[in-house]
Amino acid sequence: MNKKNITLVINEKKHELSVFPNELLLNVIREELELTGTKYACGIGECGACTVIVNGAPILACLTLAVAVDGSEITTIEGLTKADGTLHPMQQAFLDHSAVQCGFCTPGMILMGKALGDENPGLKGITEADINNYFKGNLCRCTGYTSIVRAVMSCAHEGK
Amino acid sequence: MGELEYLITKDFEEIFSAIEKTKGLAKFIAGGTNIIPYMHAEAISPELLIDLNGLEDLKYIREKNGTITIGALTTISEIVASEIIGNKCQILHSAANSLGSPLTRNRATIGGNLADASPAADMAPPLLALEASIHTKRGGVEGREIPLDKFFIGPNKTVLAEDELITQIRFSKPKDSARGIFIKLGLRNSLAISVVSIAVILDMEGQVCQKARVALGAVAPTIIRAFHVESKLEGGEINENIIQECAEIVKEEISPISDIRASAEYRRLASSVILKRAIQQVLKGEVL
């Protein structure tokens, strides 16, 4: 199998990589780049633990070949915190509302919250129903959705 | 996964000659939301993946002279967000909005959803009710136009040749007097694969139904039109008796199987109830 050279801009840093055609974006992120915040869980696109943002749109890294996103800009959970350690408002909201238990779904949930905010600046007019709808593909099996929705809603109230 | 090569190009000829060289071992990939799980499960083991995303020109939604055309590589999210579809074709908007989750919709394409030919494909019932056709391109010979009701031939099987790819989906903009609805019954609200899905379009002139189109998903080897139900509805007033008769006829028109999601008996009963509900809601003035 021949490797392909690709370029990925991950969290604003450019990476020149050589990958096999069948390598999943998820594995490249976790194993080559050692960004293990993006989680591997179901592996078949049903749980959303592997959510990353590619060119502005949240997608499943477990259903995406690395070669297919050559040249893309990708944001993983590691890209949300500023260099000085300041958390993204969505990350802070998840902490403030204890919207984390085991933490496995959390990176995906927070990235979905960020993406929702990017699509709707200041989360203006966002309702709980909108959040439930937008987070359809992100499963949580322990925290419970109540506190997760509350965390995202708090950003809407504060216009973050 | 075994040996695998990958091709992405904007050149159709390069695609067709690569298919010829690999002799049956090439597979198209667009969003990958079906192909990757199939590879994961070793249900397919292609030697060449041809990424159609190189064909950037196949991403569009247009309306011209009463005809709506959608490029095969248009993502389901783009259909959800489209004003043309939202304003003129609510039935397709709601089917798109019910497919998978926002995460899958951002990658999955309309061409892929049809080419995969799942009996439960969400985009197919409304497109069948809209009498859509599929336009293709082929290596060496002319592409063709295939009416969607001649396109599916079995579970995950279509009439497409190995070196033939979907370029466009096309249908006439529904008449202003037409009303329609898409109802999907799944086991839950999120990420559900249909147990039964129904698309109904009725063109009413006063109390009289001029034209009826009824398509069902997940209740036969392919997405199907319910021709007998349609002719029962057409040409007269639709009253409760007619609706009740349709609810009986539909049970005979489908051929559901039992699987992990539901039994054939349940599918038969549910189809009957949901069809009744769909017709009643359309008569109440659901917009298309």
Side-chain angles (χ1 to χ4, degrees), chain B residues 67-81:
Chain B
T67 301
I68 294 174
T69 50
I70 306 178
L73 285 172
T74 307
T75 65
I76 305 303
S77 290
E78 286 162 344
I79 292 173
V80 173

Side-chain angles (χ1 to χ4, degrees), chain B residues 120-246:
Chain B
D122 286 314
M123 302 307 284
L127 286 172
L128 206 52
L130 287 161
E131 298 177 277
S133 65
I134 283 177
H135 291 245
T136 71
K137 243 186 174 31
R138 271 188 90 163
V141 290
E142 279 283 291
R144 50 182 174 157
E145 175 174 0
I146 309 165
L148 195 58
D149 60 1
K150 303 270 188 307
F151 180 73
F152 302 112
I153 49 178
N156 303 105
K157 284 193 177 64
T158 71
V159 296
L160 287 178
E162 190 200 325
D163 62 347
E164 186 171 24
L165 58 94
I166 303 174
T167 53
Q168 185 186 79
I169 291 92
R170 179 191 295 223
F171 52 89
S172 299
K173 192 186 92 174
K175 280 190 180 175
D176 289 340
S177 52
R179 298 282 177 267
I181 194 170
F182 173 75
I183 301 182
K184 167 171 165 176
L185 176 70
L187 296 182
R188 53 184 182 269
N189 286 329
S190 296
L191 275 175
I193 294 174
S194 297
V195 170
V196 176
S197 61
I198 293 187
V200 173
I201 300 177
L202 301 178
D203 186 6
M204 303 295 292
E205 212 175 274
Q207 300 295 313
V208 179
C209 175
Q210 298 294 334
K211 187 175 173 182
R213 289 293 174 268
V214 178
L216 292 98
V219 291
T222 68
I223 307 285
I224 54 157
R225 282 257 304 270
F227 292 104
H228 293 111
V229 172
E230 290 176 3
S231 51
K232 188 89 216 162
L233 291 167
E234 283 175 353
E237 193 182 321
I238 301 175
N239 54 33
E240 277 305 311
N241 283 340
I242 299 275
I243 297 175
Q244 196 53 48
E245 279 181 61
C246 289

Side-chain angles (χ1 to χ4, degrees), chain A residues 69-86:
Chain A
V69 289
D70 183 15
S72 299
E73 289 193 15
I74 299 170
T75 305
T76 69
I77 189 67
E78 289 89 346
L80 292 199
T81 311
K82 288 196 186 137
D84 67 0
T86 315

